Amino acid sequence: MLQITLAEPGQWTAQRVATPNDPSGLALVRVHRVGICGTDLHAFAGRQPFFTYPRVLGHELAVEVLSAPENSRGIRAGQMCAVEPYLSCGKCYACSIGRTNCCRELQCLGVHCDGGMRGQIVLPVSTLYPSTELSLDQLALVETLGIGAHAVQRAEIVSGESVLVVGAGPIGLATIQFALAAGANVRVLELNPFRRDFVKSLGVATLSEYDDQLSPIVFDATGHSGSMEACFNYVQHAGRLVFVGLTQQKISFENPNFHRRELSVLSSRNSAGLFPKIMEMIVGGQIDTRPWITHRLTLAEVPEKFATIACQTNLVKAMIELTASDW
């Protein structure tokens, strides 16, 4: 099978490797789609925290089950599945209170361990979520949606509250969609004209620069330290600031202003237990990711085309399609 590895920042290797032949209690799956995430872009640029090289990227996955051990979840050969790519220890404090998304020993496919930019992979049955109704593209984007869904859950939005989302990349778009589903009045601050127009096409108010209107809830989905620091000044008194994106840089803020407004500042990492709800919302038409995919490429084209796609100003989401020659 074909395997694409990020050997070091900016450097890919492509090689033919043996297919897995001993699942050892795991499910064997064939990879059909791999969404390119901001994490992948940052890893390629050498700016991703908690990352080591070489690494097989790919954690936004749509897969086909080839074989599965006996299990209580009904996972069986032939099913098309979304993949929840977080492998938690089940023993630490976070896991003991159901916060497996921030497990102390968390391993995320394509980040801490090798992911899905290869023809086949073995996975725990617990990571697979089958659907007969969602397309392969939709299955691959459930994980991205989970990031936004979890961030909105962290914010505890009350219907009718005003929300400002800073950054309209895929994570920002996911946050926007779930904030709208929660009944929020959403505005979006985005510098990129193409992404701003894309958000407008969804019927959401956009800003090219901050308008001095404080919001009870602000989400920063940029992962840019300057933007994250500025967001402290966008939050209403007694409001909530949620950092969805992350940066390698330190974040500082003006303490008197922070205390005067008694802000709640929240981090949001991954998601936990939200895949079934998200998939139901897609089927029900509450969430629509079909307009997101602006670029497509094959697995074999990744070494040649990834850098070009990464710098496109009109990029919303790129999707890698695998075919029989990759398996």
Side-chain angles (χ1 to χ4, degrees):
M1 67 179 182
L2 180 62
Q3 175 175 292
I4 304 296
T5 303
L6 185 61
E8 58 187 56
Q11 183 63 51
W12 299 100
T13 60
Q15 60 187 139
R16 289 280 170 180
V17 300
T19 56
N21 58 15
D22 182 16
S24 300
L26 302 175
L28 175 64
V29 303
R30 174 182 290 153
V31 180
H32 282 264
R33 295 285 188 278
V34 182
I36 294 176
C37 175
T39 298
D40 304 322
L41 300 175
H42 293 154
F44 181 75
R47 298 195 303 266
Q48 178 62 29
F50 318 120
F51 196 88
T52 58
Y53 304 85
R55 180 67 64 222
V56 178
L57 302 186
H59 62 275
E60 297 179 357
L61 306 176
V63 303
E64 175 188 359
V65 180
L66 297 179
S67 67
E70 289 293 326
N71 64 90
S72 60
R73 298 184 61 239
I75 301 299
R76 61 186 185 277
Q79 290 178 321
M80 298 297 182
C81 300
V83 176
E84 190 170 44
Y86 317 124
L87 310 177
S88 54
C89 74
K91 300 176 183 178
C92 69
Y93 171 73
C95 287
S96 74
I97 61 171
R99 300 275 293 277
T100 55
N101 61 298
C102 52
C103 166
R104 185 177 61 191
E105 306 296 332
L106 185 76
Q107 296 281 296
C108 180
L109 296 175
V111 180
H112 310 98
C113 56
D114 286 343
M117 284 194 187
R118 45 183 162 163
Q120 297 180 24
I121 187 173
V122 291
L123 297 170
V125 168
S126 60
T127 66
L128 301 176
Y129 290 83
S131 174
T132 58
E133 298 176 271
L134 300 186
S135 69
L136 291 170
D137 289 346
Q138 289 172 319
L139 288 169
L141 293 182
V142 173
E143 192 276 338
T144 298
L145 290 168
I147 306 300
H150 181 67
V152 168
Q153 185 180 69
R154 293 277 283 158
E156 299 182 341
I157 292 173
V158 176
S159 183
E161 279 190 303
S162 295
V163 165
L164 175 65
V165 177
V166 183
I171 300 304
L173 289 174
T175 304
I176 291 164
Q177 293 220 5
F178 285 97
L180 290 170
N185 298 313
V186 180
R187 298 178 303 142
V188 178
L189 175 58
E190 170 58 57
L191 301 182
N192 182 308
F194 173 83
R195 288 184 171 179
R196 200 161 56 243
D197 288 342
F198 185 85
V199 172
K200 286 180 184 176
S201 73
L202 304 176
V204 179
T206 63
L207 306 169
S208 59
E209 57 184 23
Y210 181 57
D211 62 358
D212 295 325
Q213 180 180 333
L214 299 178
S215 298
I217 304 174
V218 175
F219 296 92
D220 186 281
T222 68
H224 183 278
S225 59
S227 173
M228 294 166 78
E229 290 180 347
C231 281
F232 282 89
N233 299 316
Y234 303 163
V235 189
Q236 185 61 267
H237 291 244
R240 288 96 80 196
L241 170 59
V242 184
F243 287 137
V244 194
L246 73 158
T247 177
Q248 288 183 317
Q249 306 301 314
K250 291 183 178 180
I251 301 297
S252 63
F253 56 90
E254 181 187 326
N255 190 61
N257 183 52
F258 171 74
H259 264 78
R260 182 167 55 248
R261 299 189 189 185
E262 197 178 59
L263 302 184
S264 297
V265 180
L266 301 164
S267 60
S268 181
R269 186 186 186 194
N270 304 325
S271 66
L274 294 176
F275 271 44
K277 176 184 177 181
I278 292 167
M279 293 167 76
E280 287 176 9
M281 292 176 74
I282 299 172
V283 172
Q286 295 167 271
I287 301 294
D288 184 10
T289 57
R290 288 174 296 179
W292 292 19
I293 301 174
T294 53
H295 296 73
R296 293 183 184 273
L297 67 165
T298 66
L299 185 61
E301 290 174 330
V302 168
E304 176 188 355
K305 293 188 175 182
F306 190 95
T308 300
I309 287 176
C311 65
Q312 295 296 307
T313 58
N314 63 343
L315 173 65
V316 176
K317 171 63 71 173
M319 185 67 69
I320 300 169
E321 301 181 355
L322 283 79
T323 63
S325 63
D326 303 318
W327 301 324

